[in-house]
Amino acid sequence: MAKIVILLGSPTPKSRLHGVLDRVSGQIAAAGHELSVVNVRELPAEDLLHARFDSEAIIAASRQVAEADAVIVASPVYKASFTGILKAFLDLLPQKGLENKIVLPIVVGGTIAHLLAIDYAMKPILSVMGARNILTGVFVLDTQVVWKDNGEADIAEEAAARLDASVQLLVQEAAWQSSKAGAVQ
């Protein structure tokens, strides 16, 4: 069983990104893998703003990343990039905090003009942090996610298909990574 962690970079309590991640979480659970979520919004703001590496909350969140085989980095796009709150948390991870990790970027943006936010804003940072394998990210237009009256998100078929294929690849890669690590021990 692989360990997968989602780094949720949304500053809002319920966004379209949450609807996307509900679908992702369901796929990971169905595959039988262990999933945890670091909701950066819930980390102490003072610890993030003042770069308190010794904060218990930051240490606990960093440990979740360190113990994971794969990391999903998820954010809405603001000003052609991922959120500042997510960047503040990434800055508190060790320099090679994503070393040997499989990473899947997922972003939700308001316009197709933000499509390159993954390649030009997110991937360079993930690469510098030592990510072993950065999978092709998934960009979802916010208009492709609609909240239904029952509280579930309805994701447009085209976006859902891309999302499902990327998560399936992540799950396969993470399972392989986990089995390889288990064989070494």
Side-chain angles (χ1 to χ4, degrees), residues 51-97:
R52 293 188 180 137
F53 292 90
D54 60 347
S55 156
E56 287 183 30
I58 299 299
I59 291 169
S62 295
R63 187 177 309 113
Q64 285 180 272
V65 175
E67 293 173 354
D69 298 299
V71 179
I72 296 170
V73 182
S75 177
V77 177
Y78 294 162
K79 307 285 192 272
S81 186
F82 58 96
T83 61
I85 194 169
L86 178 58
K87 176 65 165 76
F89 176 69
L90 292 173
D91 286 346
L92 293 173
L93 290 175
Q95 178 63 37
K96 294 296 180 183

Coordinates of all heavy atoms in Angstrom, one line a residue, residues 51-97:
A51 N 8.1 31.8 9.2 CA 9.0 30.7 8.8 C 9.4 30.0 10.1 O 10.6 29.8 10.3 CB 10.1 31.2 8.0
R52 N 8.5 29.5 10.9 CA 8.8 28.8 12.1 C 9.0 27.3 11.8 O 8.1 26.5 11.9 CB 7.7 29.0 13.2 CG 7.7 30.5 13.6 CD 6.8 30.7 14.8 NE 6.8 32.1 15.2 CZ 5.7 32.8 15.5 NH1 4.5 32.2 15.5 NH2 5.8 34.0 15.9
F53 N 10.2 27.0 11.4 CA 10.5 25.6 11.1 C 10.3 24.6 12.3 O 10.1 23.5 12.1 CB 12.0 25.5 10.7 CG 12.2 26.1 9.3 CD1 12.6 27.5 9.3 CD2 12.1 25.4 8.2 CE1 12.9 28.1 8.1 CE2 12.4 26.0 6.9 CZ 12.8 27.3 6.9
D54 N 10.4 25.2 13.5 CA 10.3 24.4 14.7 C 8.8 24.3 15.3 O 8.6 23.7 16.3 CB 11.2 24.9 15.8 CG 10.8 26.4 16.2 OD1 10.1 27.1 15.5 OD2 11.4 26.8 17.3
S55 N 7.9 24.8 14.5 CA 6.5 24.7 14.9 C 6.0 23.3 14.9 O 6.3 22.5 13.9 CB 5.6 25.5 13.9 OG 4.3 25.1 13.9
E56 N 5.3 22.9 15.9 CA 4.8 21.5 16.0 C 3.9 21.2 14.8 O 4.0 20.1 14.2 CB 4.0 21.2 17.3 CG 4.9 21.1 18.5 CD 4.1 20.8 19.7 OE1 3.1 20.2 19.7 OE2 4.6 21.3 20.8
A57 N 3.1 22.1 14.4 CA 2.2 21.9 13.2 C 2.9 21.8 11.9 O 2.6 20.9 11.1 CB 1.2 23.0 13.1
I58 N 4.0 22.6 11.8 CA 4.8 22.5 10.5 C 5.6 21.2 10.5 O 5.7 20.5 9.5 CB 5.7 23.7 10.4 CG1 4.9 25.1 10.4 CG2 6.7 23.6 9.3 CD1 4.0 25.2 9.2
I59 N 6.1 20.8 11.7 CA 6.9 19.6 11.7 C 6.0 18.4 11.4 O 6.4 17.5 10.7 CB 7.5 19.4 13.1 CG1 8.7 20.5 13.3 CG2 8.1 18.0 13.4 CD1 9.2 20.6 14.7
A60 N 4.8 18.4 12.0 CA 3.8 17.3 11.7 C 3.5 17.2 10.2 O 3.4 16.1 9.6 CB 2.6 17.4 12.5
A61 N 3.2 18.4 9.6 CA 2.8 18.4 8.2 C 4.0 18.0 7.3 O 3.9 17.2 6.3 CB 2.4 19.8 7.8
S62 N 5.2 18.4 7.7 CA 6.4 18.1 6.9 C 6.7 16.6 7.0 O 7.1 15.9 6.1 CB 7.6 18.8 7.5 OG 7.5 20.2 7.3
R63 N 6.4 16.0 8.2 CA 6.5 14.5 8.4 C 5.6 13.8 7.4 O 6.0 12.7 6.9 CB 6.3 14.1 9.8 CG 6.6 12.7 10.1 CD 6.4 12.3 11.6 NE 7.1 13.2 12.5 CZ 6.4 14.0 13.4 NH1 5.1 14.0 13.4 NH2 7.1 14.8 14.2
Q64 N 4.4 14.2 7.2 CA 3.5 13.6 6.3 C 4.1 13.6 4.9 O 4.0 12.5 4.2 CB 2.1 14.3 6.3 CG 1.3 14.0 7.5 CD 0.0 14.8 7.4 OE1 -0.2 15.9 7.8 NE2 -1.0 14.1 6.9
V65 N 4.7 14.7 4.5 CA 5.3 14.7 3.2 C 6.5 13.8 3.1 O 6.7 13.0 2.2 CB 5.7 16.2 2.8 CG1 6.5 16.2 1.5 CG2 4.5 17.1 2.8
A66 N 7.3 13.8 4.2 CA 8.5 12.9 4.2 C 8.2 11.5 4.1 O 8.9 10.7 3.5 CB 9.3 13.2 5.4
E67 N 7.1 11.1 4.7 CA 6.7 9.6 4.7 C 5.9 9.2 3.5 O 5.7 8.0 3.3 CB 5.9 9.4 6.0 CG 6.7 9.5 7.3 CD 5.8 9.4 8.5 OE1 4.6 9.3 8.4 OE2 6.4 9.5 9.6
A68 N 5.6 10.1 2.6 CA 4.7 9.8 1.5 C 5.6 9.2 0.3 O 6.7 9.6 0.1 CB 4.0 11.0 1.0
D69 N 5.0 8.3 -0.5 CA 5.6 7.9 -1.7 C 5.2 8.8 -2.8 O 6.0 9.0 -3.8 CB 5.0 6.5 -2.1 CG 5.3 5.4 -1.0 OD1 6.5 5.2 -0.8 OD2 4.4 4.9 -0.4
A70 N 4.1 9.5 -2.7 CA 3.6 10.4 -3.8 C 3.0 11.6 -3.1 O 2.4 11.5 -2.1 CB 2.7 9.7 -4.7
V71 N 3.1 12.7 -3.8 CA 2.5 14.0 -3.3 C 1.7 14.6 -4.4 O 2.1 14.8 -5.6 CB 3.6 15.0 -2.9 CG1 3.0 16.3 -2.4 CG2 4.5 14.3 -1.8
I72 N 0.5 15.0 -4.1 CA -0.4 15.8 -5.0 C -0.3 17.2 -4.5 O -0.6 17.5 -3.3 CB -1.8 15.3 -5.0 CG1 -1.9 13.8 -5.6 CG2 -2.7 16.2 -5.8 CD1 -3.2 13.2 -5.4
V73 N 0.1 18.1 -5.4 CA 0.2 19.5 -5.0 C -0.9 20.2 -5.7 O -1.0 20.3 -6.9 CB 1.6 20.1 -5.4 CG1 1.7 21.6 -5.0 CG2 2.7 19.3 -4.8
A74 N -1.9 20.7 -4.9 CA -3.2 21.2 -5.5 C -3.4 22.7 -5.1 O -3.2 23.0 -3.9 CB -4.3 20.4 -5.1
S75 N -3.7 23.5 -6.1 CA -3.9 24.9 -5.8 C -4.9 25.5 -6.8 O -4.9 25.2 -8.0 CB -2.6 25.6 -5.8 OG -2.7 27.0 -5.6
P76 N -5.6 26.6 -6.4 CA -6.2 27.4 -7.4 C -5.1 28.3 -8.0 O -4.0 28.4 -7.4 CB -7.2 28.2 -6.6 CG -6.7 28.2 -5.2 CD -5.9 27.0 -5.0
V77 N -5.4 28.9 -9.1 CA -4.5 29.8 -9.7 C -4.9 31.3 -9.4 O -6.0 31.6 -9.7 CB -4.4 29.6 -11.3 CG1 -3.5 30.7 -11.9 CG2 -3.9 28.2 -11.6
Y78 N -4.0 32.0 -8.8 CA -4.2 33.4 -8.5 C -3.0 34.2 -9.2 O -1.9 33.8 -9.0 CB -4.2 33.7 -7.0 CG -5.3 33.1 -6.2 CD1 -5.2 33.0 -4.8 CD2 -6.5 32.7 -6.8 CE1 -6.2 32.5 -4.1 CE2 -7.5 32.2 -6.0 CZ -7.4 32.1 -4.7 OH -8.4 31.6 -3.9
K79 N -3.3 35.2 -9.9 CA -2.3 36.0 -10.6 C -1.3 35.1 -11.3 O -0.1 35.3 -11.2 CB -1.5 36.9 -9.5 CG -2.4 37.7 -8.6 CD -3.0 38.9 -9.4 CE -3.6 39.9 -8.4 NZ -5.0 39.7 -8.2
A80 N -1.7 34.2 -12.1 CA -0.9 33.3 -13.0 C 0.0 32.4 -12.2 O 1.0 31.9 -12.8 CB -0.1 34.2 -14.0
S81 N -0.3 32.1 -10.9 CA 0.6 31.2 -10.2 C -0.3 30.5 -9.1 O -1.5 30.8 -8.9 CB 1.7 32.0 -9.5 OG 2.6 31.1 -8.9
F82 N 0.4 29.6 -8.4 CA -0.3 28.9 -7.3 C -0.3 29.9 -6.1 O 0.3 30.9 -6.1 CB 0.3 27.6 -7.0 CG 1.8 27.6 -6.6 CD1 2.2 27.7 -5.3 CD2 2.8 27.6 -7.6 CE1 3.5 27.8 -5.0 CE2 4.1 27.7 -7.3 CZ 4.5 27.7 -6.0
T83 N -1.1 29.5 -5.1 CA -1.3 30.5 -4.0 C 0.0 30.7 -3.1 O 0.8 29.8 -3.0 CB -2.4 29.9 -3.0 OG1 -2.0 28.7 -2.5 CG2 -3.7 29.8 -3.8
G84 N 0.0 31.9 -2.6 CA 1.1 32.3 -1.7 C 1.1 31.4 -0.4 O 2.2 31.1 0.1
I85 N 0.0 31.0 0.1 CA 0.0 30.2 1.3 C 0.6 28.8 1.0 O 1.3 28.3 1.9 CB -1.5 30.0 1.9 CG1 -1.4 29.5 3.3 CG2 -2.4 29.2 0.9 CD1 -2.8 29.5 4.0
L86 N 0.4 28.3 -0.2 CA 1.1 27.0 -0.5 C 2.6 27.2 -0.7 O 3.4 26.4 -0.2 CB 0.5 26.5 -1.8 CG 1.1 25.2 -2.4 CD1 1.0 24.0 -1.3 CD2 0.5 24.8 -3.7
K87 N 3.0 28.3 -1.3 CA 4.4 28.6 -1.4 C 5.1 28.8 0.0 O 6.2 28.3 0.2 CB 4.6 29.9 -2.2 CG 6.1 30.4 -2.4 CD 6.9 29.4 -3.1 CE 8.2 30.0 -3.6 NZ 9.3 30.1 -2.5
A88 N 4.4 29.4 0.9 CA 4.9 29.6 2.3 C 5.2 28.3 2.9 O 6.2 28.1 3.6 CB 3.9 30.4 3.1
F89 N 4.3 27.3 2.7 CA 4.5 26.0 3.3 C 5.6 25.3 2.6 O 6.5 24.6 3.2 CB 3.2 25.1 3.2 CG 3.4 23.7 3.7 CD1 3.7 23.5 5.0 CD2 3.4 22.6 2.8 CE1 4.0 22.2 5.5 CE2 3.7 21.4 3.2 CZ 3.9 21.1 4.6
L90 N 5.7 25.3 1.2 CA 6.7 24.7 0.5 C 8.1 25.2 0.9 O 9.1 24.5 1.0 CB 6.6 24.9 -1.0 CG 5.4 24.1 -1.6 CD1 5.2 24.5 -3.1 CD2 5.5 22.6 -1.5
D91 N 8.1 26.5 1.3 CA 9.4 27.1 1.7 C 9.8 26.5 3.1 O 11.0 26.6 3.4 CB 9.2 28.6 1.9 CG 9.2 29.3 0.5 OD1 9.6 28.7 -0.5 OD2 8.8 30.5 0.5
L92 N 8.9 26.0 3.8 CA 9.3 25.4 5.1 C 9.7 23.9 5.1 O 10.2 23.4 6.1 CB 8.1 25.6 6.1 CG 7.9 27.1 6.5 CD1 6.6 27.2 7.3 CD2 9.1 27.7 7.2
L93 N 9.5 23.3 3.9 CA 9.9 21.9 3.8 C 11.4 21.9 3.5 O 12.0 22.9 3.1 CB 9.2 21.3 2.5 CG 7.7 21.0 2.7 CD1 7.2 20.5 1.4 CD2 7.5 20.0 3.8
P94 N 12.1 20.8 3.8 CA 13.5 20.7 3.6 C 13.8 21.0 2.1 O 13.0 20.7 1.2 CB 13.9 19.3 4.0 CG 12.8 18.9 4.9 CD 11.6 19.6 4.5
Q95 N 15.0 21.5 1.8 CA 15.4 21.8 0.5 C 15.2 20.7 -0.5 O 14.7 20.9 -1.6 CB 16.9 22.2 0.4 CG 17.4 22.5 -1.0 CD 16.8 23.7 -1.6 OE1 16.5 24.7 -0.9 NE2 16.5 23.7 -2.9
K96 N 15.4 19.4 -0.1 CA 15.1 18.3 -1.0 C 13.9 17.5 -0.4 O 13.9 16.3 -0.4 CB 16.4 17.4 -1.1 CG 17.5 18.0 -1.8 CD 17.2 18.3 -3.2 CE 18.3 19.0 -4.0 NZ 18.0 19.3 -5.4
G97 N 12.9 18.2 0.1 CA 11.8 17.6 0.7 C 10.9 16.8 -0.2 O 10.0 16.0 0.3

